[in-house]
Amino acid sequence: MNFRRLWAIIMKELRQLRRDRVTLAMIMGMPIMQLLLFGYAINLNLRDLPAAVVDQAQTAGSRAAVQDLLASGVIKVEASAQSPQQLLDLLREGRISVGIAVPPDFERRKLDGREAIQVMVDGSDNVVQSAAAQLAQYPLNQPDDFHARTQTPISVVSFYNPERRSPVNIVPGLIGVILTMTMVLFTAVAIVRETERGNMELLITTPVSRTELMIGKVLPYAAIGLVQTTLVLMLGVWLFRVPIRGSLWDVYLASVLLILANLSLGLLISTRARSQFQAMQMTFFVFLPSILLSGFMFPFDGMPLPAQWISEALPLTHFIRLIRGIMLRGADLADLWHDGVALLAFIAIMLTLAIRLFHKRLD
């Protein structure tokens, strides 16, 4: 072995890496991204879960019990309600994760040792369900008329997934993960592949406009995305008995929004990448934050505020809320309109940028 020739090859590779900014960014950026995500953004110790309280007793003891629950730090009042039914409506709409209901006969129930406070939990997220269950063990010692200390019985009722089956929680979100991985990747290499294969020269000689070319690239993959959605739904219902409590039409409409959002993002990546390999590298920067920050694997409420801001910019975050709300809680798109609007805005921005940045010419 000639070490001079070996050294020359090593130096050549280093110079090539220095010129390849995308690869260099992955070498330096990926460890930093993973360190920040796993060390800072991901937190399984949930605090300040959005909650609402209905105190129908309005006694000193009931108010003290509610304040004790709030003092636990597990929940934080984010909405108001006047009845237990309104608590259920807020849970279904995804506006709260926990509802606290205090019955009118609170004092009598407490003295009899019966259930005096009911904690309603959104069971569509198993991690939230586990965190809220801590409230049942939280000591609520209220003074009675004889100045003794008596324990306040609390019951935790889990809605939408009382058996806490993992597939019920995972399968709806898995639709979004699969669509994100495939749709972004397919279109990220679309424009680059045309250039590498020489097909771009033929397209340049045609009267096809930039908008027609970009939309023509998107629509076939949109149909593929719907096929993937149907396949996951069929297997989820058949193999894992995952319920579809909402409208199937809303499920597909939410899926279309995510498909178009991911395809638009993939097209934007394809306009900046110089090769298919570079396009795949760039898509990896989308996959990791999407899976970790969207609420699919780790709870959104446990993330620090800056991480929540980043996750709000990811299409998968809004789809997770939509699909779990529709499939598990029986909500409709009107209840979850803000997440649908967020996806529409993302589609408009990404597709506009992709069309503007794409030049129907060879570089």
Side-chain angles (χ1 to χ4, degrees), residues 91-92 121-126 129 158-165 167-169 172 233 237 240-251 322-333 335-336:
L91 284 173
R92 180 176 56 84
V121 183
D122 178 7
S124 62
D125 191 326
N126 284 347
Q129 196 172 357
S158 177
F159 290 86
Y160 315 122
N161 186 17
E163 299 175 354
R164 299 182 64 177
R165 294 193 297 119
V168 174
N169 176 251
L233 285 174
V237 173
F240 303 108
R241 295 181 291 111
V242 176
I244 304 179
R245 298 189 174 99
S247 168
L248 192 60
W249 169 256
D250 286 344
V251 171
L322 286 173
I323 198 67
R324 285 179 177 170
I326 295 169
M327 289 185 61
L328 303 184
R329 300 197 301 269
D332 52 38
L333 287 179
D335 297 326
L336 309 168

Side-chain angles (χ1 to χ4, degrees), residues 257-287:
L257 290 176
L258 179 67
I259 290 169
L260 294 179
N262 286 328
L263 292 177
S264 302
L265 177 59
L267 282 177
L268 180 62
I269 292 174
S270 71
T271 62
R272 312 313 299 166
R274 299 288 180 175
S275 65
Q276 294 188 58
F277 178 69
Q278 194 177 82
M280 288 187 284
Q281 287 179 313
M282 295 171 70
T283 57
F284 195 77
F285 281 99
V286 178
F287 293 158

